[in-house]
Structures are given as structure tokens and as C-alpha cells.
Coordinates of all heavy atoms in Angstrom, one line a residue:
M28 N 86.2 67.6 24.0 CA 85.6 68.7 24.5 C 86.6 69.6 25.4 O 86.2 70.7 25.6 CB 84.4 68.2 25.5 CG 83.4 69.3 25.5 SD 81.8 68.4 25.4 CE 80.8 69.6 26.0
N29 N 87.6 68.9 25.9 CA 88.5 69.6 26.7 C 89.8 70.0 25.9 O 90.8 69.7 26.1 CB 88.9 68.8 28.0 CG 87.9 68.9 29.0 OD1 87.1 69.6 29.1 ND2 88.0 67.8 29.8
D30 N 89.4 70.8 24.8 CA 90.6 71.2 23.9 C 91.4 72.1 24.7 O 90.9 73.1 25.5 CB 90.0 71.8 22.7 CG 89.3 70.9 21.8 OD1 89.6 69.7 21.9 OD2 88.3 71.3 21.2
T31 N 92.7 72.1 24.6 CA 93.7 73.0 25.2 C 93.9 74.2 24.4 O 94.0 73.9 23.1 CB 94.8 72.3 25.7 OG1 95.5 71.8 24.6 CG2 94.7 71.2 26.7
I32 N 94.1 75.3 24.8 CA 94.4 76.5 24.0 C 95.9 76.6 24.0 O 96.5 76.7 25.2 CB 93.7 77.7 24.6 CG1 92.2 77.5 24.5 CG2 94.1 79.0 23.9 CD1 91.3 78.6 25.2
P33 N 96.6 76.7 23.0 CA 98.1 76.9 23.0 C 98.4 78.2 23.7 O 97.8 79.1 23.4 CB 98.4 76.8 21.6 CG 97.2 77.1 20.8 CD 96.0 76.7 21.6
A34 N 99.5 78.2 24.4 CA 100.0 79.4 25.2 C 100.4 80.4 24.1 O 101.1 80.0 23.1 CB 101.1 79.0 26.1
L35 N 100.2 81.7 24.3 CA 100.7 82.7 23.4 C 102.2 82.9 23.7 O 102.6 83.1 24.8 CB 99.9 83.9 23.6 CG 98.4 83.9 23.2 CD1 97.7 85.3 23.4 CD2 98.1 83.6 21.8
N36 N 102.9 82.9 22.6 CA 104.3 83.1 22.9 C 104.6 84.5 22.5 O 105.3 84.8 21.4 CB 105.2 82.0 22.0 CG 105.0 80.7 22.6 OD1 105.0 80.6 23.8 ND2 105.0 79.7 21.9
H37 N 104.4 85.5 23.3 CA 104.8 86.9 23.0 C 105.2 87.5 24.3 O 104.6 87.2 25.4 CB 103.7 87.6 22.2 CG 102.4 87.7 23.0 ND1 102.3 88.8 24.0 CD2 101.2 87.1 22.9 CE1 101.1 88.6 24.5 NE2 100.4 87.7 23.9
Q38 N 105.9 88.5 24.2 CA 106.4 89.3 25.5 C 105.3 90.4 25.9 O 104.7 90.9 24.8 CB 107.7 90.0 25.2 CG 108.8 88.8 25.0 CD 110.2 89.3 25.6 OE1 110.3 90.5 26.0 NE2 111.1 88.4 25.7
S39 N 105.1 90.6 26.9 CA 104.2 91.7 27.4 C 104.7 93.0 27.0 O 105.9 93.3 26.9 CB 104.1 91.6 28.9 OG 103.3 92.7 29.4
E40 N 103.8 93.9 26.6 CA 104.1 95.1 26.2 C 103.8 96.2 27.3 O 103.6 97.4 27.0 CB 103.3 95.6 24.9 CG 103.7 94.8 23.6 CD 103.1 95.1 22.4 OE1 102.5 96.3 22.4 OE2 103.0 94.3 21.5
Y41 N 103.9 95.8 28.6 CA 103.7 96.5 29.6 C 104.8 97.7 29.7 O 106.0 97.4 29.7 CB 103.5 95.7 30.8 CG 103.4 96.5 32.2 CD1 102.2 97.1 32.6 CD2 104.5 96.8 33.0 CE1 102.2 97.9 33.7 CE2 104.4 97.5 34.1 CZ 103.2 98.0 34.5 OH 103.2 98.8 35.6
V42 N 104.4 98.8 30.0 CA 105.3 99.9 30.1 C 105.2 100.4 31.6 O 104.0 100.8 32.0 CB 105.1 101.1 29.2 CG1 106.1 102.2 29.5 CG2 105.3 100.6 27.7
E43 N 106.2 100.5 32.3 CA 106.2 100.9 33.7 C 105.8 102.4 33.6 O 106.4 103.2 32.9 CB 107.6 100.8 34.3 CG 107.6 101.1 35.8 CD 109.0 100.8 36.5 OE1 109.8 100.1 35.9 OE2 109.1 101.3 37.6
K44 N 104.9 102.8 34.6 CA 104.4 104.2 34.7 C 104.5 104.6 36.2 O 104.4 103.8 37.2 CB 103.0 104.3 34.2 CG 103.0 104.1 32.7 CD 103.3 105.2 31.9 CE 103.1 105.1 30.5 NZ 103.4 106.2 29.7
E45 N 104.6 105.9 36.4 CA 104.5 106.4 37.8 C 103.3 107.4 37.8 O 103.1 108.0 36.7 CB 105.8 107.2 38.0 CG 106.0 107.9 39.3 CD 107.3 108.5 39.5 OE1 108.3 107.8 39.4 OE2 107.3 109.7 39.6
K46 N 102.7 107.5 38.8 CA 101.5 108.4 38.9 C 101.8 109.6 39.7 O 102.4 109.5 40.7 CB 100.3 107.6 39.5 CG 99.6 106.7 38.6 CD 98.4 106.0 39.2 CE 97.8 105.1 38.3 NZ 96.6 104.6 39.0
T47 N 101.4 110.7 39.3 CA 101.6 111.9 40.0 C 100.1 112.6 40.1 O 99.5 112.7 39.1 CB 102.5 112.9 39.3 OG1 103.8 112.4 39.2 CG2 102.6 114.3 40.2
R48 N 99.7 112.9 41.3 CA 98.4 113.7 41.4 C 98.6 115.1 41.0 O 99.6 115.8 41.5 CB 98.0 113.5 42.9 CG 96.5 113.9 43.2 CD 95.7 112.8 42.7 NE 94.2 113.3 43.1 CZ 93.2 112.5 42.6 NH1 93.4 111.5 41.9 NH2 92.1 112.9 42.9
V49 N 97.7 115.5 40.1 CA 97.8 116.9 39.7 C 96.4 117.7 39.7 O 95.4 117.0 39.8 CB 98.3 116.9 38.1 CG1 99.7 116.4 38.0 CG2 97.3 116.3 37.3
R50 N 96.4 119.0 39.7 CA 95.3 119.8 39.8 C 95.5 120.7 38.4 O 96.4 121.4 38.4 CB 95.2 120.6 41.0 CG 93.9 121.5 41.0 CD 93.8 122.2 42.4 NE 93.5 121.2 43.4 CZ 94.1 121.3 44.6 NH1 94.8 122.2 45.0 NH2 93.8 120.2 45.6
A51 N 94.5 120.6 37.5 CA 94.6 121.3 36.3 C 93.5 122.4 36.4 O 92.3 122.0 36.7 CB 94.3 120.3 35.1
F52 N 93.8 123.6 36.1 CA 92.8 124.7 36.1 C 92.5 125.0 34.5 O 93.4 125.2 33.7 CB 93.6 126.0 36.7 CG 93.8 125.7 38.2 CD1 95.0 125.2 38.6 CD2 92.9 126.2 39.0 CE1 95.2 125.1 40.0 CE2 93.0 126.1 40.4 CZ 94.2 125.5 40.9
T53 N 91.3 125.0 34.3 CA 90.8 125.4 33.0 C 89.8 126.4 33.0 O 89.2 126.8 34.2 CB 90.2 124.0 32.3 OG1 88.9 123.7 33.0 CG2 91.0 122.8 32.4
P54 N 89.3 126.9 31.9 CA 88.3 128.1 31.9 C 87.0 127.6 32.5 O 86.2 128.4 33.2 CB 88.2 128.4 30.5 CG 89.4 128.1 29.8 CD 89.9 126.8 30.6
S55 N 86.6 126.3 32.5 CA 85.3 125.9 32.9 C 85.4 125.0 34.2 O 84.3 124.8 34.8 CB 84.7 124.9 31.7 OG 85.7 123.8 31.5
G56 N 86.5 124.8 34.8 CA 86.6 124.1 36.0 C 87.9 123.7 36.4 O 89.0 124.0 35.8
I57 N 88.0 123.1 37.7 CA 89.3 122.7 38.4 C 89.1 121.1 38.3 O 88.3 120.5 38.9 CB 89.5 123.3 39.7 CG1 89.5 124.7 39.6 CG2 90.7 122.7 40.3 CD1 89.4 125.4 40.9
I58 N 90.1 120.4 37.7 CA 90.1 119.0 37.7 C 91.3 118.5 38.3 O 92.5 118.9 38.1 CB 90.1 118.7 36.1 CG1 88.9 119.3 35.4 CG2 90.1 117.1 35.9 CD1 88.9 119.3 33.9
E59 N 91.1 117.6 39.2 CA 92.2 117.0 39.9 C 92.1 115.4 39.6 O 91.1 114.8 39.6 CB 91.9 117.1 41.5 CG 93.1 116.7 42.3 CD 92.9 117.1 43.7 OE1 92.6 118.2 44.0 OE2 93.0 116.1 44.6
G60 N 93.3 114.9 39.4 CA 93.4 113.5 39.0 C 94.9 112.9 39.0 O 95.8 113.8 39.1
D61 N 95.0 111.7 38.6 CA 96.4 111.0 38.6 C 96.8 111.0 37.2 O 96.1 110.7 36.2 CB 96.4 109.6 39.1 CG 96.0 109.5 40.5 OD1 96.5 110.4 41.2 OD2 95.4 108.5 40.9
Y62 N 98.0 111.5 36.9 CA 98.7 111.6 35.7 C 99.7 110.6 35.5 O 100.6 110.6 36.3 CB 99.1 113.0 35.3 CG 100.0 113.1 34.1 CD1 99.3 113.1 32.8 CD2 101.3 113.3 34.1 CE1 100.0 113.2 31.6 CE2 102.1 113.5 32.9 CZ 101.4 113.4 31.6 OH 102.0 113.4 30.5
S63 N 99.6 109.7 34.7 CA 100.8 108.6 34.5 C 101.8 109.0 33.5 O 101.5 109.6 32.4 CB 100.0 107.3 34.0 OG 99.2 106.9 35.0
H64 N 103.1 108.8 34.0 CA 104.2 109.2 33.1 C 105.2 108.3 33.4 O 105.2 107.5 34.4 CB 104.6 110.7 33.5 CG 104.9 110.9 34.8 ND1 106.1 110.8 35.3 CD2 104.1 111.4 35.9 CE1 106.0 111.1 36.6 NE2 104.8 111.4 36.9
P65 N 106.3 108.2 32.5 CA 107.4 107.3 32.8 C 108.2 107.6 34.1 O 108.2 108.8 34.6 CB 108.4 107.6 31.6 CG 107.5 108.3 30.7 CD 106.5 109.0 31.2
P66 N 108.6 106.6 34.8 CA 109.3 106.8 36.1 C 110.6 107.5 35.8 O 111.3 107.5 34.8 CB 109.6 105.4 36.6 CG 109.4 104.5 35.4 CD 108.5 105.1 34.4
R67 N 111.0 108.4 37.0 CA 112.2 109.1 37.1 C 112.2 110.3 35.9 O 113.3 110.6 35.5 CB 113.4 108.2 36.9 CG 113.5 107.2 38.2 CD 114.6 106.3 38.0 NE 114.4 105.4 36.9 CZ 113.7 104.4 36.7 NH1 112.8 104.0 37.8 NH2 113.5 103.6 35.7
V68 N 111.1 110.6 35.3 CA 111.0 111.7 34.4 C 110.1 112.8 35.1 O 109.1 112.6 35.6 CB 110.3 111.2 33.1 CG1 110.0 112.5 32.3 CG2 111.0 110.2 32.4
R69 N 110.8 114.0 35.1 CA 110.1 115.2 35.6 C 108.8 115.4 35.0 O 108.6 115.1 33.8 CB 110.9 116.4 35.7 CG 112.2 116.4 36.4 CD 112.9 117.7 36.3 NE 113.1 118.2 34.9 CZ 113.7 119.3 34.6 NH1 114.2 120.0 35.6 NH2 113.8 119.6 33.4
L70 N 107.7 115.8 35.9 CA 106.4 116.1 35.3 C 106.4 117.0 34.2 O 105.8 116.9 33.1 CB 105.5 116.4 36.5 CG 104.1 116.9 36.0 CD1 103.3 115.5 35.5 CD2 103.3 117.3 37.2
S71 N 107.2 118.2 34.4 CA 107.2 119.1 33.3 C 107.9 118.6 32.0 O 107.4 119.0 31.0 CB 108.2 120.3 33.8 OG 109.5 119.9 34.1
D72 N 108.8 117.8 32.1 CA 109.4 117.2 31.0 C 108.4 116.1 30.2 O 108.3 116.2 29.0 CB 110.7 116.4 31.1 CG 111.8 117.2 31.7 OD1 111.8 118.5 31.2 OD2 112.7 116.7 32.2
S73 N 107.7 115.5 31.0 CA 106.7 114.6 30.5 C 105.6 115.3 29.8 O 105.1 115.0 28.7 CB 106.0 113.7 31.7 OG 105.1 112.9 31.2
M74 N 105.1 116.4 30.4 CA 104.0 117.3 29.8 C 104.5 117.9 28.7 O 103.7 118.0 27.6 CB 103.5 118.3 30.9 CG 102.7 117.8 32.0 SD 101.3 116.9 31.5 CE 100.3 118.2 30.6
R75 N 105.7 118.5 28.5 CA 106.3 119.1 27.3 C 106.4 118.0 26.2 O 105.9 118.4 25.0 CB 107.7 119.6 27.7 CG 108.3 120.5 26.6 CD 109.6 121.1 27.0 NE 109.6 121.8 28.2 CZ 110.2 121.4 29.3 NH1 111.0 120.4 29.2 NH2 110.1 122.1 30.3
N76 N 106.7 116.9 26.5 CA 106.7 115.9 25.3 C 105.3 115.5 25.0 O 105.0 115.3 23.7 CB 107.5 114.6 25.8 CG 108.9 114.8 26.1 OD1 109.5 115.7 25.5 ND2 109.5 114.0 26.9
S77 N 104.4 115.4 25.9 CA 103.0 115.2 25.5 C 102.4 116.3 24.8 O 101.7 116.0 23.9 CB 102.2 115.0 26.8 OG 102.6 113.7 27.5
A78 N 102.7 117.5 25.1 CA 102.1 118.7 24.5 C 102.5 118.8 23.0 O 101.8 119.3 22.2 CB 102.4 119.9 25.2
T79 N 103.7 118.3 22.7 CA 104.3 118.5 21.3 C 103.5 117.5 20.3 O 103.3 117.9 19.3 CB 105.8 118.3 21.3 OG1 106.0 116.9 21.7 CG2 106.4 119.2 22.1
G80 N 103.1 116.4 20.9 CA 102.4 115.5 20.0 C 101.1 115.1 20.4 O 100.3 114.5 19.6
E81 N 100.6 115.3 21.6 CA 99.3 114.9 22.1 C 98.4 116.1 22.2 O 98.9 117.1 22.8 CB 99.4 114.1 23.3 CG 100.3 112.9 23.3 CD 99.7 111.7 22.5 OE1 98.4 111.8 22.4 OE2 100.4 111.0 21.9
R82 N 97.2 116.0 21.9 CA 96.2 117.2 22.1 C 95.5 116.9 23.3 O 94.8 117.8 23.8 CB 95.4 117.2 20.8 CG 96.0 117.6 19.6 CD 95.2 117.7 18.4 NE 93.9 117.8 18.7 CZ 92.9 117.4 17.7 NH1 93.2 116.9 16.6 NH2 91.6 117.7 18.0
Y83 N 95.6 115.8 24.0 CA 94.8 115.5 25.2 C 95.8 114.7 26.3 O 96.8 114.1 25.8 CB 93.6 114.5 24.9 CG 92.6 115.2 24.1 CD1 92.7 115.0 22.7 CD2 91.6 115.9 24.6 CE1 91.8 115.7 21.8 CE2 90.7 116.6 23.7 CZ 90.8 116.4 22.4 OH 89.9 116.9 21.5
I84 N 95.6 115.0 27.5 CA 96.2 114.1 28.5 C 95.1 113.4 29.2 O 94.0 113.8 29.3 CB 97.0 115.0 29.5 CG1 96.1 115.9 30.4 CG2 98.1 115.7 28.8 CD1 96.8 116.6 31.5
L85 N 95.5 112.2 29.7 CA 94.6 111.3 30.4 C 94.7 111.5 31.9 O 95.8 111.4 32.3 CB 94.8 109.9 30.0 CG 93.9 108.7 30.8 CD1 92.5 108.8 30.4 CD2 94.6 107.4 30.2
L86 N 93.7 111.7 32.6 CA 93.7 111.7 34.1 C 92.8 110.7 34.6 O 91.8 110.5 34.0 CB 93.4 113.1 34.6 CG 94.2 114.3 34.3 CD1 93.7 115.6 34.9 CD2 95.7 114.2 34.6
T87 N 93.3 110.0 35.6 CA 92.4 109.0 36.2 C 92.0 109.2 37.6 O 92.7 110.1 38.2 CB 93.1 107.6 36.1 OG1 94.3 107.7 36.9 CG2 93.3 107.1 34.7
D88 N 91.0 108.6 38.1 CA 90.6 108.9 39.5 C 90.3 110.4 39.7 O 90.9 111.0 40.6 CB 91.5 108.3 40.5 CG 91.0 108.3 42.0 OD1 89.8 108.3 42.1 OD2 91.7 108.2 42.9
V89 N 89.3 110.9 39.0 CA 89.2 112.4 38.8 C 88.0 112.9 39.7 O 87.1 112.3 39.9 CB 88.8 112.6 37.3 CG1 88.7 114.1 37.0 CG2 90.0 112.1 36.5
T90 N 88.3 114.1 40.2 CA 87.3 115.0 40.8 C 87.3 116.3 40.0 O 88.3 116.8 39.6 CB 87.6 115.2 42.3 OG1 88.8 115.9 42.4 CG2 87.6 113.9 43.0
I91 N 86.1 116.9 39.9 CA 85.9 118.0 39.0 C 85.1 119.1 39.9 O 84.0 118.7 40.5 CB 85.1 117.6 37.8 CG1 85.8 116.7 37.0 CG2 84.9 119.0 36.9 CD1 84.9 116.0 35.8
R92 N 85.6 120.3 39.8 CA 84.8 121.4 40.6 C 84.6 122.5 39.5 O 85.5 122.8 38.6 CB 85.7 121.9 41.7 CG 85.7 121.0 42.8 CD 86.6 121.5 44.0 NE 87.9 121.6 43.5 CZ 88.9 122.2 44.2 NH1 88.5 122.9 45.4 NH2 90.1 122.3 43.7
S93 N 83.6 123.2 39.9 CA 83.3 124.5 38.9 C 84.4 125.5 39.1 O 84.7 125.7 40.2 CB 81.9 124.9 39.3 OG 81.6 126.2 38.7
A94 N 84.7 126.3 38.1 CA 85.6 127.4 38.2 C 85.1 128.5 39.0 O 85.9 129.2 39.7 CB 86.0 127.9 36.8
E95 N 83.9 128.6 39.2 CA 83.2 129.7 40.0 C 83.1 129.3 41.5 O 82.6 130.0 42.2 CB 81.8 130.1 39.5 CG 81.9 130.7 38.2 CD 81.9 129.7 37.0 OE1 81.3 128.6 37.1 OE2 82.5 130.1 36.0
G96 N 83.5 128.0 41.8 CA 83.4 127.6 43.2 C 82.1 126.9 43.5 O 81.9 126.5 44.7
G97 N 81.1 126.9 42.6 CA 79.9 126.3 42.9 C 80.1 124.8 42.6 O 81.0 124.3 42.1
S98 N 79.0 124.1 43.0 CA 79.1 122.5 42.9 C 78.6 122.1 41.6 O 77.8 122.8 41.1 CB 78.2 121.9 44.1 OG 76.9 122.2 43.9
L99 N 79.1 121.1 41.1 CA 78.6 120.5 39.9 C 77.6 119.5 40.2 O 77.4 119.1 41.3 CB 79.8 119.8 39.1 CG 80.9 120.6 38.6 CD1 82.0 119.6 38.2 CD2 80.4 121.4 37.4
E100 N 76.8 119.0 39.2 CA 75.8 117.9 39.4 C 76.7 116.7 39.9 O 77.8 116.5 39.6 CB 75.2 117.6 38.1 CG 74.3 118.7 37.6 CD 73.5 118.2 36.3 OE1 73.4 117.0 36.1 OE2 73.3 119.1 35.5
E101 N 76.0 115.9 40.8 CA 76.7 114.7 41.4 C 77.3 113.9 40.3 O 78.3 113.4 40.4 CB 75.6 113.9 42.2 CG 76.3 112.8 43.0 CD 77.3 113.3 44.1 OE1 77.1 114.4 44.6 OE2 78.2 112.6 44.3
A102 N 76.6 113.7 39.2 CA 77.1 112.8 38.1 C 78.3 113.4 37.6 O 79.2 112.5 37.0 CB 76.0 112.7 37.0
L103 N 78.7 114.6 37.6 CA 79.8 115.2 37.0 C 80.9 115.5 38.1 O 82.0 115.9 37.8 CB 79.6 116.5 36.3 CG 78.5 116.4 35.1 CD1 78.3 117.8 34.5 CD2 79.2 115.5 34.0
A104 N 80.7 115.2 39.3 CA 81.7 115.5 40.3 C 82.9 114.6 40.4 O 83.9 115.1 40.8 CB 80.9 115.6 41.7
S105 N 82.7 113.4 39.9 CA 83.9 112.6 39.8 C 83.7 111.6 38.6 O 82.7 111.5 38.0 CB 83.9 111.7 41.1 OG 82.9 110.9 41.2
A106 N 84.9 111.1 38.2 CA 84.9 110.1 37.1 C 86.0 109.3 37.1 O 87.1 109.6 37.8 CB 84.9 111.0 35.8
P107 N 86.0 108.1 36.6 CA 87.0 107.1 36.6 C 88.4 107.7 35.8 O 89.4 107.5 36.1 CB 86.6 105.8 36.1 CG 85.2 106.1 35.5 CD 84.9 107.4 36.0
F108 N 88.0 108.5 34.7 CA 89.0 109.0 33.9 C 88.4 110.1 33.1 O 87.2 110.2 32.8 CB 89.7 108.0 32.8 CG 88.8 107.6 31.8 CD1 88.8 108.3 30.6 CD2 87.9 106.5 32.0 CE1 88.0 107.9 29.5 CE2 87.0 106.2 30.9 CZ 87.1 106.8 29.7
V109 N 89.2 111.1 32.6 CA 88.8 112.1 31.7 C 90.0 112.4 30.7 O 91.1 112.1 31.1 CB 88.5 113.6 32.3 CG1 87.4 113.4 33.2 CG2 89.7 114.0 33.0
L110 N 89.7 112.8 29.5 CA 90.7 113.2 28.5 C 90.6 114.8 28.5 O 89.4 115.3 28.4 CB 90.4 112.7 27.1 CG 90.6 111.3 27.0 CD1 90.2 110.9 25.5 CD2 92.1 110.9 27.1
L111 N 91.6 115.4 28.8 CA 91.6 116.9 29.0 C 92.5 117.5 27.7 O 93.7 117.0 27.7 CB 92.3 117.2 30.4 CG 92.3 118.6 30.8 CD1 90.9 119.2 30.9 CD2 92.9 118.7 32.2
S112 N 91.9 118.5 27.1 CA 92.6 119.0 26.1 C 93.7 119.9 26.6 O 93.6 120.8 27.5 CB 91.7 120.0 25.3 OG 92.4 120.8 24.4
T113 N 94.9 119.7 26.0 CA 96.1 120.5 26.4 C 96.0 121.9 26.2 O 96.5 122.8 26.8 CB 97.3 120.0 25.9 OG1 97.3 120.0 24.5 CG2 97.7 118.6 26.3
N114 N 95.2 122.3 25.2 CA 94.9 123.8 24.8 C 94.0 124.5 25.9 O 94.1 125.6 25.9 CB 94.2 123.8 23.5 CG 95.0 123.4 22.3 OD1 96.3 123.5 22.4 ND2 94.3 123.0 21.3
H115 N 93.4 123.7 26.7 CA 92.5 124.3 27.7 C 93.1 124.4 29.1 O 92.5 125.0 30.1 CB 91.1 123.6 27.8 CG 90.3 123.9 26.6 ND1 89.8 122.7 25.9 CD2 90.1 125.0 25.8 CE1 89.1 123.2 24.7 NE2 89.4 124.6 24.6
I116 N 94.3 123.9 29.3 CA 94.9 123.8 30.6 C 95.6 125.1 30.8 O 96.6 125.5 30.1 CB 95.8 122.7 30.8 CG1 95.1 121.4 30.7 CG2 96.5 122.8 32.2 CD1 96.0 120.1 30.6
S117 N 95.2 126.1 31.7 CA 95.9 127.3 31.9 C 97.0 127.0 33.1 O 98.0 127.8 33.1 CB 95.0 128.4 32.4 OG 94.2 128.0 33.5
L118 N 96.9 126.2 33.9 CA 97.8 126.0 35.0 C 97.7 124.5 35.3 O 96.5 123.9 35.6 CB 97.4 126.9 36.2 CG 98.4 126.7 37.4 CD1 99.8 127.1 37.1 CD2 97.8 127.7 38.6
L119 N 98.8 123.8 35.6 CA 98.9 122.5 36.1 C 99.8 122.3 37.3 O 101.1 122.7 37.2 CB 99.4 121.5 35.0 CG 99.3 120.0 35.2 CD1 97.8 119.5 35.2 CD2 100.1 119.2 34.3
V120 N 99.3 121.9 38.4 CA 100.0 121.9 39.6 C 100.2 120.5 40.1 O 99.2 119.8 40.4 CB 99.3 122.8 40.8 CG1 100.1 122.7 42.1 CG2 99.0 124.1 40.2
P121 N 101.4 120.1 40.3 CA 101.5 118.7 40.9 C 101.2 118.9 42.5 O 101.6 119.8 43.1 CB 102.9 118.3 40.7 CG 103.7 119.6 40.5 CD 102.6 120.5 40.0
L122 N 100.5 117.8 43.1 CA 100.1 117.9 44.4 C 101.0 117.0 45.2 O 101.5 115.8 44.8 CB 98.7 117.4 44.6 CG 97.7 118.2 43.8 CD1 96.3 117.7 44.0 CD2 97.8 119.6 44.3
G123 N 101.4 117.3 46.5 CA 102.2 116.6 47.3 C 101.5 115.4 47.9 O 100.3 115.3 47.7
E124 N 102.3 114.6 48.6 CA 101.6 113.6 49.3 C 100.7 114.1 50.4 O 101.1 115.0 51.1 CB 102.7 112.7 50.0 CG 103.6 111.9 49.0 CD 102.8 110.8 48.2 OE1 102.0 110.2 48.7 OE2 103.0 110.7 46.9
E125 N 99.6 113.4 50.6 CA 98.7 114.0 51.6 C 98.7 113.2 52.8 O 99.0 112.1 52.8 CB 97.2 114.1 51.1 CG 97.2 115.1 49.9 CD 95.7 115.2 49.4 OE1 94.8 115.0 50.1 OE2 95.7 115.7 48.2

């Protein structure tokens, strides 16, 4: 009944990432979240590489505001993550340490 499970002999595929807090301006709203990218790579270089092959970027720990300055419904005001279309980002600003 106490069968042992053999250990898996494979290496972890973990890739080291760095997080940068960004604010993305879109036609429908302002989205702020953490963007993960390779360490020691400039955000602009990471975004340029993502934009060439990726149609979406992943932001985590997200807050969302209406473009008109009004408030969103409480359910839409924050999210653990969003996929944001690179075609809809008009401006992406890295935020400094707060």
C-alpha cells in the first residue's frame, strides 16, 4: 500500500525572469501591471522581441482604469493577470520604484 513513486530525473525548465511594473495606455483604458522579461534586458528590447512574434503580452497583479477617468465595476478594477493585445497599446510606460 505504501508504494513509492520513482523520482523524476529531469532538469527544471525554470527560466529566470525580472519584473517591471508598467502602465499601458489603450483606447479603452489604462492598465497597470507587472511585465516579466529576461533579466538584464532593457524593457524596450524585450517588448520589441515580443511584438515581432507575440500578439499579446501578459501582465500580472493588474489594476484597470477607464480611459475617461471614470471608475470601472469593482469586478473589473483588478485582476491577477490579463493578456493585452500588442495592437491596442498606444503607450507603455515603465514605472519607477514607489
